[in-house]
Amino acid sequence: MSVNNIVFSTPWFSIVAKEIKNTQSPYYIMDATDCVSIIAMSKDKQVLLVRQYRPTMDIETLELPSGHIEPGETPVQAAHRELLEETGYIAENLELLRVLVPETGRIGFKSWCYFASNVTWVKNPDTKEILALIKCNQDKLLDYIKSGEINNALDIAIIFLSIQNKKLSNLS
């Protein structure tokens, strides 16, 4: 049994001191809301990626559409919302590939990983956070990973899950 105390809080995450029985000092955890990531494929078999600036690393990244689950929202509702906001596409169906735990040592949230095929464009993406929408074929997706242009570990894991579940094909 343990006792949790929030020692620092922001709108995006909290630092929690977890008092664990029979230990002298607290165990610190970064706690955040769960998030969603979507590997979305257009009707012409192009994978949708977003280029955005990430202040954490002070770089532009190439990533799958993703974001945090808002209060009162289910993971699938968040996935639909994030896909629309970041790409301007909607998905008729989202298939849950897996729920991943990004880092079990110090970070306390889960990532809900979805696959969407035959997504449909309905509007331009939200340009407040997205620099560009990138459409690529499946081979180019692997090239982006090999070159390090896609370097987000969760995105690489979701791409692997999509390959493992035979959602992506014709990969060299």
Side-chain angles (χ1 to χ4, degrees):
M1 181 100 151
S2 61
V3 176
N4 297 339
N5 299 307
I6 296 174
V7 295
F8 179 77
S9 186
T10 76
W12 302 279
F13 65 90
S14 296
I15 302 297
V16 176
K18 190 171 196 167
E19 303 290 339
I20 300 172
K21 188 176 178 179
N22 299 324
T23 61
Q24 293 183 5
S25 59
Y27 189 85
Y28 291 95
I29 300 163
M30 186 190 90
D31 197 19
T33 58
D34 286 357
C35 64
V36 295
S37 292
I38 308 100
I39 185 157
M41 190 177 302
S42 64
K43 292 177 181 174
D44 60 351
K45 304 297 182 204
Q46 299 290 300
V47 177
L48 305 181
L49 301 171
V50 292
R51 185 169 304 283
Q52 54 190 332
Y53 172 72
R54 291 295 192 179
T56 307
M57 303 301 293
D58 195 25
I59 59 172
E60 287 184 12
T61 62
L62 191 57
E63 301 180 11
L64 297 173
S66 62
H68 284 275
I69 300 170
E70 299 292 335
E73 206 174 33
T74 66
V76 74
Q77 288 169 332
H80 280 288
R81 177 184 49 77
E82 288 292 343
L83 181 64
L84 180 61
E85 285 176 6
E86 295 192 357
T87 69
Y89 282 75
I90 58 171
E92 210 171 285
N93 294 306
L94 287 167
E95 179 182 342
L96 180 64
L97 296 173
R98 177 120 7 114
V99 179
L100 297 177
V101 179
E103 203 277 316
T104 59
R106 296 280 177 196
I107 300 174
F109 70 89
K110 296 179 289 230
S111 180
W112 298 73
C113 308
Y114 289 94
F115 182 84
S117 60
N118 297 318
V119 296
T120 304
W121 182 83
V122 294
K123 69 176 194 130
N124 290 327
D126 182 353
T127 56
K128 283 183 257 169
E129 57 180 289
I130 303 303
L131 301 174
L133 172 64
I134 309 293
K135 292 172 71 176
C136 70
N137 66 37
Q138 295 172 53
D139 286 332
K140 184 66 177 172
L141 185 64
L142 290 185
D143 290 342
Y144 284 141
I145 293 171
K146 290 175 189 172
S147 72
E149 195 161 356
I150 293 177
N151 61 5
N152 180 310
L154 278 175
D155 288 351
I156 293 169
I158 297 164
I159 293 166
F160 170 77
L161 287 170
S162 295
I163 293 168
Q164 183 183 43
N165 286 288
K166 299 184 182 350
K167 303 300 178 188
L168 297 178
S169 58
N170 302 323
L171 298 173
S172 56

